[in-house]
Amino acid sequence: MYKILSADNLAANIYRMVVEAPMVAKHCQPGQFIIAKVDEVGERIPLTICDYDRENGTITIVFQPIGNSTRRMAELTTGDSFEDFVGPLGRPSDLIDTPIDELKKRHIVFIAGGVGTAPVYPQVKWLHEHGVTADVIIGAKNKDLVILEDEFKSVCNLYITTDDGSYQRKGMVTVCLQDLIEKEGKHYDWCVAIGPMIMMKFVCKLTKEYGIHTVVSMNPIMVDGTGMCGACRVMVGGEVKFACVDGPEFDGHLIDFDQAMQRNRMYQTEEGRAILKAQEGDTHHGGCGMCGGDK
Amino acid sequence: MEVDMLKKVPVREQDPKVRATNFDEVCLGYNQEEAMAEATRCLNCKKPKCVEGCPVHINIPAFISGVKDGDFRHAYDVISESSSLPAVCGRVCPQETQCEERCIRGIKGEAVSIGKLERFTADWAKENGIRPTPAKEKNGHKVAIIGAGPSGLTCAGDLAKLGYDVTIFEALHKAGGVLAYGIPEFRLPKDKVVEKEVENVKSLGVKIDTDVVIGKSVTVDELLGDEGFEAVFIGSGAGLPRFMNIPGETALGVFSANEYLTRNNLMKAYRDDYYTPIHRGKKVVVVGGGNVAMDAARTALRLGAEVHIVYRRSEEELPARREEVHHAKEEGIIFDLLTNPVEIIADEKTGWVKSIRCIRMELGEPDASGRRRPVEIPGSEFNMDCDTVIMSLGTSPNPLISSTTVGLDVNKRKCIIASEENGQTTKAGVFAGGDAVTGAATVILAMGAGKAAAKGIDEFIKSKSAK
Ligand SMILES: Cc1cc2nc3c(=O)[nH]c(=O)nc-3n(C[C@H](O)[C@H](O)[C@H](O)COP(=O)(O)OP(=O)(O)OC[C@H]3O[C@@H](n4cnc5c(N)ncnc54)[C@H](O)[C@@H]3O)c2cc1C
Ligand SMILES: Cc1cc2nc3c(=O)[nH]c(=O)nc-3n(C[C@H](O)[C@H](O)[C@H](O)COP(=O)(O)OP(=O)(O)OC[C@H]3O[C@@H](n4cnc5c(N)ncnc54)[C@H](O)[C@@H]3O)c2cc1C
Ligand code: SF4
Ligand code: SF4
Ligand code: FES
């Protein structure tokens, strides 16, 4: 059993939990994920590691209820336990293996959308701890859905943009990136984008035009998370990869996003579909401005 | 009970029509009377050929004569000298190519039903609460086992009986390996058989830590270092699924057999009280001809589909157990033999599979495996409509452990190199066995390798402490 030491909401529908999992906390690195299971009858749900505390042996997860399983997770509270919590899974972010001198020379921008903001945090924090300051763009539907602002502020240069302009900049993350580059004299050579697939797709489209190397974190359907089932396969540069062992981070310019989005709908319940549609719709309003609607 | 000496005492099975709609065990096994009757067919040979055919050399005539006399306890003790998973092997061993193939009775009539008698004996022992006896005292030496499949469970059990302090680390949330996630309930009941075997191992004092992925959560080198284990046994299996690399394989509705079976067996998608989703197809094509393909096909059938098995060789070459092929046919699985897929065609709008393009094959000259090689018949391509494709083309060992362990060598098939005799790998203190070493094989071989490695580890630790 893996005890939930604290549970709170970052926004109305975004949950944060700190979970006791010493073995995971001892070995995890930014970019990796865990698989949690509520109880015997629950599904195995993959979630990115959003923070970790090696000393106290804890892992922080942040999630948004989509369907049955994530909703059942949201019902848990401080003092409850997950029956299963396995990890760290996947490969650590490439940044971790890059020499610090090299990183210091890079101009890095992170683009975070919606609940994807949470997994960006450990990477930015890690860079900060190693003396590298990155720019971070957070995109959200409105003011109420901006999460982790204070945490980010202390570890990076933060730009926030909301779809409806209810907080700071107005417009999609791609617009913000464009403005930073074209109007505010920024130069980037490395981009990390984490958020809804549709957002990552359009960020990649834009960064390709600018010639900025872009890393994305894929979240396909998974079962075991160890390379055993192949449910998580994604096409990367025309080759089949298993996201749980070869990823979850990949070169965004090589990903077939349309197919990945299609595959993720395989088991979606009607209600999950509605939520994702709303979400991808959001990012759509707040994301790209060029796609002409979620198909 | 009348016994025809040329024929096996028939075993009771669920009616094919009924069982095609449920997940209960197909074969109901012998009752006492039937088992004792079948046991009379054994000739108690002086030089029993059957024993040579059994990979772990169970003293077959001795246990069968126990059954014949109604001394089931004795029969069980005889089997236990060589096997720790008789309830499993009695059900899933490919007997027709092992013990029963060599049985002298088989020359004129049908071989003695060794497997069914073994199953009967093991089930009798379970029902009567017979459990292995734990070690009287612990010897204080710590051993780590990776993987709770047949090889790991056996190695752990044997070491615990010798007094070792054993911990099994298992990546999944349940112990059992393929017995839990791969082989379906209707062939190998989970609560009645698999769980009981796991409990037996635990009753010997073995700790099972699920949710630990070695190579990720902790490495082999750390187990041997900070974690304080004196030896490690790797029984991580061969779980990596192969795909065909044909166009369309990432379409929606294309699954590996591992995914399909894991959802249904480990995650119980067929039961309403579990949240696991599974795609219940209407027309399912299963590609492959082994046990895994039969299991996937019969699972899809039970979930309500019309199921076709597409296999590139002919019936004779089907690598599955004969009983599984027979059962599959009885249940209404359609076999499209000498047929091979070339492309999966998806609906452009939805991305879902709508058909599979296949080519007819014929058998040519024998290949390296001695089987006649299938060759394509030019121009014989055709489309088969379907909404689901399950790829069941075999598996290979997962590189997760070998790639994170310093000095652990693998061969070109990614199998860990280990001695057959004692499981010793190229790294001191590290032993391995089962599918991780041989590639996908059988339960009995994995179990035998676990036994051999337990001996190897015992010798290794003893010789080390003697110094
Ligand atoms: C590596 C990885 C990291 C992730 N990190 C996070 C995170 O930090 N926070 C967060 O909120 N979500 C994250 N997700 C997505 C999260 O796992 C899904 O939202 C969740 O599985 C939905 O399950 P459900 O049963 O509630 O939804 P339903 O829509 O009812 O799902 C039905 C089925 O589809 C699968 N599924 C549906 N959508 C997804 C999806 N996007 N990804 C994977 N499987 C899906 C579910 O597992 C389930 O089997 C991550 C996914 C992956 C693969
Ligand atoms: C569907 C199917 C049907 C089969 N039918 C038959 C049959 O009828 N008869 C027969 O004799 N054989 C059959 N087999 C083959 C047989 O099941 C295997 O040969 C046998 O289970 C191998 O045992 P093992 O202990 O080596 O590995 P496995 O049973 O594969 O167990 C390995 C275990 O190690 C765990 N593991 C892997 N990597 C790690 C890691 N890094 N850290 C921690 N744990 C890890 C896995 O999760 C798994 O639980 C079948 C196989 C399948 C898939
Ligand atoms: S273990 Fe398998 S091969 Fe050996 S006697 Fe039993 S059924 Fe036959
Ligand atoms: S070969 Fe057949 S008849 Fe002879 S001992 Fe073995 S099972 Fe009995
Ligand atoms: S989740 Fe099963 S192989 Fe990646």
Side-chain angles (χ1 to χ4, degrees):
Chain A
M1 291 297 223
Y2 302 82
K3 200 161 173 194
I4 299 168
L5 300 181
S6 78
D8 63 350
N9 279 62
L10 293 176
N13 206 25
I14 300 181
Y15 292 73
R16 171 167 64 185
M17 289 177 182
V18 177
V19 182
E20 197 173 56
M23 205 181 292
V24 187
K26 189 171 170 192
H27 291 89
C28 68
Q29 296 286 0
Q32 293 187 291
F33 66 97
I34 55 94
I35 287 183
K37 191 163 164 288
V38 173
D39 54 16
E40 165 67 23
V41 297
E43 283 188 80
R44 296 171 62 97
I45 299 293
L47 297 167
T48 314
I49 294 170
C50 294
D51 205 353
Y52 51 89
D53 181 333
R54 300 213 201 278
E55 242 158 66
N56 292 317
T58 63
I59 295 289
T60 304
I61 51 173
V62 173
F63 64 93
Q64 189 179 32
I66 299 283
N68 272 330
S69 295
T70 35
R71 202 152 20 108
R72 290 177 79 234
M73 258 172 63
E75 282 164 15
L76 299 177
T77 177
T78 309
D80 290 342
S81 295
F82 284 99
E83 189 164 294
D84 297 285
F85 198 87
V86 54
L89 300 168
R91 294 187 319 124
S93 162
D94 276 341
L95 296 172
I96 310 299
D97 293 327
T98 312
I100 303 297
D101 300 350
E102 184 75 23
L103 288 176
K104 283 188 174 155
K105 280 186 234 146
R106 266 188 210 163
H107 304 276
I108 308 174
V109 59
F110 284 86
I111 302 183
V115 69
T117 307
V120 166
Y121 178 66
Q123 302 202 19
V124 175
K125 182 175 138 189
W126 186 92
L127 285 174
H128 179 73
E129 282 166 3
H130 290 81
V132 181
T133 306
D135 285 3
V136 175
I137 301 172
I138 295 181
K141 188 174 174 187
N142 58 44
K143 184 170 192 277
D144 295 337
L145 293 174
V146 175
I147 59 170
L148 300 170
E149 182 180 354
D150 293 339
E151 283 87 341
F152 270 100
K153 248 193 221 151
S154 56
V155 294
C156 68
N157 307 319
L158 186 62
Y159 304 89
I160 297 176
T161 180
T162 48
D163 292 9
D164 61 359
S166 55
Y167 193 56
Q168 301 204 356
R169 295 168 183 245
K170 178 174 169 35
M172 307 149 279
V173 288
T174 38
V175 171
C176 180
L177 180 65
Q178 251 168 335
D179 286 350
L180 286 175
I181 294 173
E182 303 203 354
K183 299 188 186 146
E184 296 166 48
K186 288 283 188 173
H187 165 77
Y188 300 113
D189 47 31
W190 198 275
C191 170
V192 179
I194 305 182
M197 273 270 212
I198 190 108
M199 177 205 95
M200 296 193 284
K201 171 178 166 176
F202 286 101
V203 165
C204 285
K205 203 166 163 194
L206 181 66
T207 56
K208 196 160 186 187
E209 287 168 23
Y210 286 122
I212 306 171
H213 180 80
T214 303
V215 175
V216 295
S217 179
M218 297 302 284
N219 54 356
I221 290 168
M222 293 188 173
V223 182
D224 59 302
T226 65
M228 182 268 269
C229 75
C232 63
R233 52 201 199 280
V234 286
M235 291 298 272
V236 184
E239 252 184 89
V240 176
K241 298 276 182 197
F242 287 6
C244 69
V245 283
D246 302 324
E249 294 190 353
F250 292 105
D251 179 341
H253 294 152
L254 299 178
I255 297 277
D256 182 343
F257 281 104
D258 291 337
Q259 190 187 54
M261 281 189 273
Q262 222 168 32
R263 278 188 66 81
N264 263 26
R265 289 185 204 128
M266 191 135 42
Y267 297 110
Q268 261 162 33
T269 52
E270 283 304 323
E271 122 202 65
R273 209 171 288 154
I275 294 171
L276 278 187
K277 185 143 198 283
Q279 185 191 39
E280 305 230 310
D282 293 343
T283 339
H284 165 65
H285 296 298
C288 64
M290 25 185 145
C291 70
D294 180 19
K295 358 173 213 172
Chain B
M1 194 174 168
E2 283 279 324
V3 181
D4 176 347
M5 284 299 157
L6 292 181
K7 285 210 173 108
K8 291 181 175 188
V9 169
V11 69
R12 285 163 297 117
E13 288 173 350
Q14 264 201 83
D15 182 79
K17 281 215 185 62
V18 176
R19 70 181 193 238
T21 60
N22 69 42
F23 279 89
D24 300 338
E25 198 171 10
V26 168
C27 174
L28 304 172
Y30 286 146
N31 60 24
Q32 281 197 17
E33 192 195 356
E34 290 158 344
M36 288 169 76
E38 176 65 14
T40 61
R41 295 184 60 231
C42 174
L43 301 167
N44 207 345
C45 306
K46 283 249 154 43
K47 282 202 189 122
K49 291 277 183 206
C50 54
V51 177
E52 289 168 26
C54 170
V56 297
H57 308 302
I58 291 179
N59 188 343
I60 295 167
F63 104 75
I64 295 185
S65 86
V67 176
K68 190 171 71 189
D69 301 341
D71 188 353
F72 308 129
R73 175 70 212 225
H74 175 68
Y76 182 71
D77 290 341
V78 171
I79 296 175
S80 299
E81 283 165 23
S82 321
S83 170
S84 41
L85 298 170
V88 177
C89 296
R91 286 176 165 83
V92 306
C93 257
Q95 288 97 5
E96 71 274 12
T97 60
Q98 298 184 355
C99 52
E100 293 181 20
E101 184 184 45
R102 309 282 191 90
C103 173
I104 211 84
R105 278 271 181 217
I107 295 177
K108 257 189 158 166
E110 289 178 356
V112 174
S113 247
I114 303 170
K116 298 284 184 292
L117 290 174
E118 182 175 332
R119 164 184 164 158
F120 165 80
T121 309
D123 286 356
W124 177 89
K126 270 190 218 316
E127 276 154 30
N128 288 276
I130 296 173
R131 293 200 153 192
T133 18
K136 291 217 177 56
E137 47 187 73
K138 294 249 166 198
N139 65 19
H141 296 289
K142 276 175 75 182
V143 180
I145 308 284
I146 304 172
S151 67
L153 289 171
T154 305
C155 188
D158 278 17
L159 286 168
K161 284 187 217 157
L162 293 169
Y164 287 91
D165 179 358
V166 186
T167 307
I168 301 182
F169 296 100
E170 167 56 50
L172 292 171
H173 56 268
K174 242 198 192 81
V178 169
L179 311 183
Y181 79 73
I183 304 181
E185 180 76 19
F186 56 80
R187 264 209 308 138
L188 187 63
K190 305 300 157 222
D191 291 350
K192 201 175 105 193
V193 180
V194 183
E195 288 276 320
K196 286 278 186 329
E197 296 296 353
V198 173
E199 275 165 32
N200 275 348
V201 172
K202 280 191 189 160
S203 76
L204 293 168
V206 173
K207 287 186 283 293
I208 303 185
D209 266 7
T210 49
D211 297 331
V212 181
V213 184
I214 304 298
K216 289 287 180 188
S217 312
V218 60
T219 63
V220 170
D221 291 290
E222 286 168 308
L223 291 177
L224 289 169
D226 285 356
E227 304 289 331
F229 291 97
E230 290 171 63
V232 174
F233 171 78
I234 305 171
S236 52
L240 208 68
R242 225 168 281 150
F243 285 91
M244 292 190 84
N245 296 321
I246 55 174
E249 231 172 352
T250 43
L252 278 73
V254 182
F255 307 93
S256 73
N258 271 2
E259 176 183 356
Y260 199 75
L261 290 169
T262 301
R263 284 183 182 280
N264 206 61
N265 300 332
L266 183 73
M267 315 274 302
K268 310 237 185 299
Y270 69 95
R271 277 172 50 171
D272 289 341
D273 51 340
Y274 281 72
Y275 285 87
T276 317
I278 195 161
H279 175 60
R280 291 176 186 249
K282 289 202 176 59
K283 188 164 168 191
V284 176
V285 167
V286 177
V287 184
N291 285 323
V292 187
M294 298 305 138
D295 285 344
R298 297 170 69 199
T299 298
L301 179 98
R302 283 162 171 73
L303 292 173
E306 171 188 318
V307 186
H308 291 249
I309 285 198
V310 167
Y311 177 60
R312 64 197 179 119
R313 301 183 197 246
S314 72
E315 170 141 11
E316 208 173 304
E317 288 86 14
L318 282 171
R321 293 178 74 218
R322 207 180 300 146
E323 185 174 317
E324 309 314 328
V325 177
H326 171 70
H327 281 158
K329 281 189 177 161
E330 275 185 345
E331 288 163 11
I333 305 276
I334 301 155
F335 285 74
D336 293 288
L337 301 167
L338 290 167
T339 304
N340 205 28
V342 289
E343 183 182 356
I344 294 164
I345 300 155
D347 182 275
E348 266 175 42
K349 250 175 107 186
T350 63
W352 273 95
V353 176
K354 64 173 190 196
S355 66
I356 184 164
R357 192 161 178 73
C358 299
I359 188 164
R360 302 262 185 230
M361 312 290 282
E362 61 190 353
L363 292 180
E365 295 299 309
D367 63 10
S369 72
R371 297 182 300 178
R372 291 177 66 194
R373 202 168 59 88
V375 261
E376 295 183 349
I377 302 175
S380 66
E381 290 92 343
F382 65 101
N383 283 2
M384 225 166 119
D385 287 345
C386 62
D387 57 13
T388 311
V389 175
I390 302 174
M391 290 294 178
S392 175
L393 307 151
T395 52
S396 51
N398 193 319
L400 216 55
I401 293 174
S402 52
S403 65
T404 53
T405 308
V406 184
L408 184 71
D409 291 351
V410 294
N411 66 20
K412 60 179 189 302
R413 287 163 48 232
K414 300 271 187 295
C415 297
I416 297 173
I417 297 171
S419 146
E420 210 173 301
E421 200 183 316
N422 60 14
Q424 175 64 54
T425 65
T426 53
K427 186 180 173 79
V430 180
F431 297 76
D435 284 4
V437 169
T438 55
T442 58
V443 172
I444 186 74
L445 286 172
M447 199 208 78
K451 271 194 151 352
K455 252 180 87 210
I457 289 170
D458 181 43
E459 279 158 17
F460 167 76
I461 290 179
K462 277 201 185 122
S463 73
K464 210 179 57 166
S465 352
K467 273 180 206 156

